[in-house]
Amino acid sequence: MKTFRYTAMAMAAMMAAGMHAQTTFDAGKLIEEDLNGTARYVSMGGAMSAFGNDISTISHNPAGIGAYRHADLNLTLSMAGSSTWSTGSHMGAQSGNIKSDIFGGLDNIGMVLAGDEFGNHLNFAFSYRRLQNMDRTVTYADAIFDADGYEAYRDFQDHQRNKVGSYDFNLSYNADDKAYFGVTFGILSTDTWSEGYIWDRYEAGKHPDFPDGLNYLNVDEMNTSTGNGWNVAFGTILRPVPGLRLGAAFKSPTMFSQTLAYSDFLFDDHANTNADGLPDPIHLSTAEKFTKSVEYSFTSPWSLNFSAGLTAGHTALGIEYERNFTGRTSLSVNNSRLSRQGACDLQDYSTFSIGLEQNIDKVSLRAGFNTTSPMYNSRAYADLSDTEFNMMRKDCQTDMTGRRSNLTAGLGYCSAPENGTQFYIDFAYVHSIRKSQFSLYPEDLLTDYKHTTDKCMLTLGLCF
């Protein structure tokens, strides 16, 4: 009985301490960016910054909006489904294949006012783009040993939804179709949510005091993070010869302000008594709730983007490379920077994109590929000892993002390719793969996961 009591007390104390701080892994949910935008942009793997003339280039290279010669209005809808399973494990961890429900929504809406229509070379644009629309479930199970060496089992499940969107405002200039310049101011809105449980138990025959087994800890947890951020980007595109465009852009770090809130419900499924025959206080007859929140600020990586676009006849090839620099990434509470969070857990990472478009009269065929290297370094760790908040925390979930890749294809129809006024419709399909390493506690890196998403996108637009 003593073994169980001490084990349960230790587990309860860790959870009762409350999860009320923030780590790089909390902030990391805001850094990830899906390959998203218009169907044309996505179907070319995002390799369109040098070409421009697509609203989705507004933040990666703002000068791309300068390529518009006519006003434009468009919106993009999508439907997607995802699947998660483990591809490898450490210390015997196991996971099943989990598929999400079909989800979708508005991925992009944009408007361009082209200066050529008003006798000048200035363009104005507004765009909303969903940077992240994630819905996935992670499951996990393994065996552990208590202080006296008796085998116990733990199960974990976490359902996550991340929604991050950007509202972008652009001003760009066209210098006689030889050079383009642009600036974009972005305002981001964030809403992340997760809910899960931890279940610890002795199975029948595994503990002498509980021959029929015992459920000794059950924790239901929920966390939410909401807030906003802002950034600014500058870009240019040069056209040295008619068939070649070269682009370069800089994007500042995004300055996030976030409110992170946790709610934990601790249950004990087994009533018990102490040596005096009285109810044992560590066994809760009802669920006990722990709630805490914290406000913090987060500075994301800054980036450089280089792109090239080559056209020959009715064929276009785009190549793009974006480098994200994490050396000044930081988290702060009450204007005090947390020295053990942020840049120390991250490494510079890059995104490479390539896309091809073939125009056949009014129809366009497209394909692309996009890949992003891991953002976390091999030393990344949820350090819980740097603030009085973190010292009270027992982090139960860290999701270390690995390589992300997208394979894309699509087609489009334009009612009048050679005319200024035209209606167009574009379709895209993207198969996304996200690898990650998940740990239930900071000291254990346990399981490798593979998350796949299949998405269909439809863009409707009018150029006038």
Side-chain angles (χ1 to χ4, degrees):
M1 191 69 65
K2 177 181 68 174
T3 299
F4 166 69
R5 182 177 305 165
Y6 290 164
T7 302
M9 287 180 67
M11 294 297 296
M14 288 188 294
M15 300 310 302
M19 297 169 61
H20 46 269
Q22 67 300 313
T23 69
T24 307
F25 296 95
D26 299 314
K29 294 180 180 181
L30 310 179
I31 301 178
E32 287 192 51
E33 183 175 324
D34 296 338
L35 175 60
N36 216 353
T38 66
R40 182 189 180 203
Y41 176 86
V42 170
S43 62
M44 290 189 66
M48 290 197 63
S49 289
F51 292 120
N53 209 43
D54 189 284
I55 194 67
S56 298
T57 66
I58 193 170
S59 63
H60 289 281
N61 190 334
I65 304 301
Y68 276 93
R69 303 300 297 270
H70 302 278
D72 187 77
L73 179 66
N74 62 60
L75 65 86
T76 302
L77 305 173
S78 72
M79 295 292 291
S82 63
S83 182
T84 300
W85 66 92
S86 62
T87 59
S89 65
H90 306 268
M91 301 171 62
Q94 299 178 352
S95 171
N97 186 9
I98 303 295
K99 293 185 177 181
S100 75
D101 295 329
I102 300 297
F103 57 95
L106 177 66
D107 280 11
N108 187 89
I109 185 169
M111 178 182 66
V112 178
L113 298 178
D116 281 357
E117 298 296 306
F118 307 103
N120 62 58
H121 298 281
L122 285 176
N123 289 353
F124 303 88
F126 164 77
S127 170
Y128 166 77
R129 182 164 65 102
R130 193 182 294 276
L131 303 182
Q132 189 178 162
N133 187 21
M134 181 272 287
D135 188 330
R136 61 174 172 263
T137 300
V138 173
T139 62
Y140 164 90
D142 71 353
I144 57 177
F145 293 91
D146 65 19
D148 294 331
Y150 293 109
E151 188 176 41
Y153 294 88
R154 60 181 176 180
D155 292 282
F156 176 82
Q157 177 173 299
D158 185 60
H159 181 197
Q160 301 182 48
R161 288 202 301 262
N162 293 352
K163 296 185 183 297
V164 180
S166 181
Y167 301 85
D168 296 313
F169 303 85
N170 174 273
L171 174 65
S172 55
Y173 178 74
N174 178 348
D176 299 322
D177 286 330
K178 300 295 183 181
Y180 309 87
F181 307 92
V183 59
T184 294
F185 180 74
I187 301 174
L188 279 69
S189 174
T190 66
D191 183 3
T192 69
W193 170 91
S194 71
E195 182 177 23
Y197 68 82
I198 300 172
W199 176 31
D200 292 338
R201 68 195 186 280
Y202 294 111
E203 292 193 344
K206 295 296 185 179
H207 196 291
D209 293 333
F210 312 105
D212 296 326
L214 176 72
N215 299 330
Y216 66 84
L217 185 70
N218 193 340
V219 180
D220 286 346
E221 60 176 9
M222 178 184 294
N223 70 71
T224 61
S225 177
T226 57
N228 51 65
W230 65 271
N231 57 41
V232 61
F234 304 90
T236 184
I237 298 172
L238 302 179
R239 192 182 181 196
V241 294
L244 177 64
R245 298 189 185 199
L246 302 175
F250 161 82
K251 180 187 285 187
S252 74
T254 301
M255 309 298 181
F256 288 101
S257 296
Q258 298 291 303
T259 299
L260 187 67
Y262 288 94
S263 295
D264 297 330
F265 295 84
L266 176 64
F267 298 83
D268 177 19
D269 296 337
H270 180 77
N272 202 3
T273 59
N274 60 23
D276 299 323
L278 300 175
D280 194 322
I282 68 170
H283 298 111
L284 309 176
S285 57
T286 58
E288 186 166 328
K289 179 180 179 181
F290 307 96
T291 302
K292 192 69 176 180
S293 64
V294 62
E295 295 185 1
Y296 73 98
S297 58
F298 168 56
T299 302
S300 79
W302 60 276
S303 66
L304 291 176
N305 180 292
F306 301 97
S307 57
L310 179 65
T311 57
H314 296 287
T315 304
L317 174 67
I319 300 175
E320 190 165 329
Y321 175 81
E322 186 168 281
R323 184 71 169 174
N324 293 270
F325 300 90
T326 62
R328 301 188 65 84
T329 303
S330 64
L331 285 79
S332 300
V333 176
N334 298 326
N335 296 319
S336 178
R337 180 172 176 172
L338 305 183
S339 61
R340 299 179 185 177
Q341 311 293 345
C344 60
D345 294 318
L346 301 173
Q347 62 184 1
D348 295 347
Y349 60 97
S350 303
T351 297
F352 173 77
S353 307
I354 185 169
L356 180 69
E357 180 179 70
Q358 179 65 52
N359 297 314
I360 307 172
D361 194 15
K362 297 181 179 182
V363 177
S364 298
L365 304 178
R366 307 178 182 112
F369 176 74
N370 170 288
T371 185
T372 302
S373 60
M375 70 172 69
Y376 290 96
N377 62 44
S378 60
R379 304 181 305 278
Y381 179 76
D383 195 318
L384 306 178
S385 62
D386 56 353
T387 68
E388 63 176 301
F389 291 110
N390 279 343
M391 289 173 65
M392 298 178 64
R393 180 179 183 180
K394 184 61 179 178
D395 194 351
C396 292
Q397 48 183 312
T398 59
D399 187 13
M400 188 182 300
T401 308
R403 179 169 292 277
R404 291 170 284 149
S405 301
N406 301 278
L407 186 64
T408 67
L411 56 88
Y413 170 82
C414 180
S415 62
E418 306 300 329
N419 194 324
T421 300
Q422 55 189 261
F423 166 79
Y424 59 92
I425 180 170
D426 296 308
F427 172 82
Y429 166 78
V430 55
H431 177 71
S432 301
I433 299 174
R434 175 188 185 271
K435 295 182 178 180
S436 70
Q437 191 171 68
F438 177 85
S439 69
L440 183 56
Y441 296 107
E443 62 268 22
D444 300 326
L445 292 177
L446 295 169
T447 307
D448 297 317
Y449 284 88
K450 182 178 180 180
H451 315 272
T452 64
T453 301
D454 293 283
K455 181 164 70 172
C456 295
M457 306 176 66
L458 179 69
T459 297
L460 302 174
L462 178 66
C463 186
F464 55 93

